[in-house]
Amino acid sequence: MEPAMPTHYGVDLITFFHPSFWGLSTDEEFERLRNSAPETVWSTIFDALSESGISHIEMTFPPADFTTALQVFGSAEGFRRELDSRNLTLKSGFYGLQGADLDPAAAADAVTPYLEFLAAAGGDTLVVGPPMRATVGSTPPVFADLGLASRVADALHHIGHRSLSLGVKTALHTEAHSIFYTARDIQLMMTLTDPDYVFLCPDTAHITLGDSNPVEVVEPWRNRVVIAHWKDATGPMPADVPIDAGIHTAHREYMCTLGEGVVDWRSWARLMESTGHSDVTLLELDATPDPIGEMIAARTFVESVRAEVLGSSSN
């Protein structure tokens, strides 16, 4: 067996959004902390990353977003200097594309400041969360049909064109209960989008919540995978749950520690190695009370899987 290239380990910063990690009881208390002391939030996250042996990060929503980073560090270059001083690297940034904002030119303009930040701070990927579905049976209905998919594809093409001009790739994320998470959705959106401009960020847990096998669904599109979220889940989630402001919190009930769910990690590791983008393994652990322990456990688990099936080591 030819040994695989070593990998670095990264994490999406939503990992740190559980109030218990901050000694708090509610999301509202955490929101007050992040508004009053953003410097403390960033320094605490950076300390935890170092303790966990994580070297790469994916930015996400406030308070771990680019606007808060600008507030605390003054510029993208200042943020990059802080990362460098802590032996950390920005890999990617998450961006939510709203269904009501799909004018192609406007969508590209709206995300440009974020793209410029990512490029200046050392990131190479914009991970785009697609518009969410509406609750089944809601009025007025929202159909995840060819018309909506085509409008989203148009917006993604313009975002992808803008991002490439700045040295950043645009990758569509498989988001549970969005228009891009079932096997059918993934096939449709990947077919509609130009592979030169729109890439793929599969999320193993979210695909599992859509009652699909991540390996089987992603394999036909492996050449478009530039980044992936490694996350476990206990099984599918009902498609007809209320899709409202609490849907992402509801997802967490079905997510679990890596290796304790139903994802076939050995096959997944082989598939990710075949993409040519296995230099960073991005662990995404949604808002966990013990992010340090979970990150260490996840990294240790993935290292053992990669060593078993790929004969690889980590950096």
Side-chain angles (χ1 to χ4, degrees), residues 102 143-153 188 192:
L102 293 181
F143 302 118
D145 59 5
L146 181 59
L148 176 56
S150 296
R151 289 196 294 127
V152 173
L188 176 61
L192 286 174

Side-chain angles (χ1 to χ4, degrees), residues 77-97:
E77 293 77 11
F79 183 68
R80 186 170 188 169
R81 286 193 295 272
E82 180 66 19
L83 292 177
D84 288 344
S85 73
R86 293 173 174 268
N87 295 316
L88 296 170
T89 300
L90 176 63
K91 171 62 180 173
S92 50
F94 186 87
Y95 177 76
L97 183 63

Side-chain angles (χ1 to χ4, degrees), residues 70 111 197:
L70 287 172
V111 76
Y197 293 95

Side-chain angles (χ1 to χ4, degrees), residues 120-139:
D124 63 16
T125 308
L126 178 75
V127 176
V128 177
M132 300 299 288
R133 279 178 156 82
T135 304
V136 175
S138 62
T139 302

Side-chain angles (χ1 to χ4, degrees), residues 144-176:
D145 59 5
L146 181 59
L148 176 56
S150 296
R151 289 196 294 127
V152 173
D154 257 356
L156 289 169
H157 288 144
H158 283 71
I159 292 171
H161 179 266
R162 186 71 54 85
S163 70
L164 285 179
S165 72
L166 295 167
V168 175
K169 289 183 176 180
T170 292
L172 188 58
H173 177 261
T174 56
E175 188 88 13

Side-chain angles (χ1 to χ4, degrees), residues 9-40:
Y9 288 91
V11 70
D12 186 289
L13 297 186
I14 198 173
T15 298
F16 298 96
F17 284 15
H18 198 289
S20 295
F21 172 65
W22 304 90
L24 304 172
S25 300
T26 66
D27 289 334
E28 290 73 22
E29 289 176 341
F30 178 47
E31 184 173 2
R32 287 195 291 271
L33 171 67
R34 72 194 197 194
N35 288 333
S36 63
E39 302 90 346
T40 299

Side-chain angles (χ1 to χ4, degrees), residues 202 218 225 227-228 230 267-278:
V218 174
V225 174
I227 190 171
W230 294 53
S267 296
W268 182 255
R270 293 188 187 96
L271 177 60
M272 290 301 98
E273 190 66 21
S274 74
T275 67
H277 291 279
S278 61

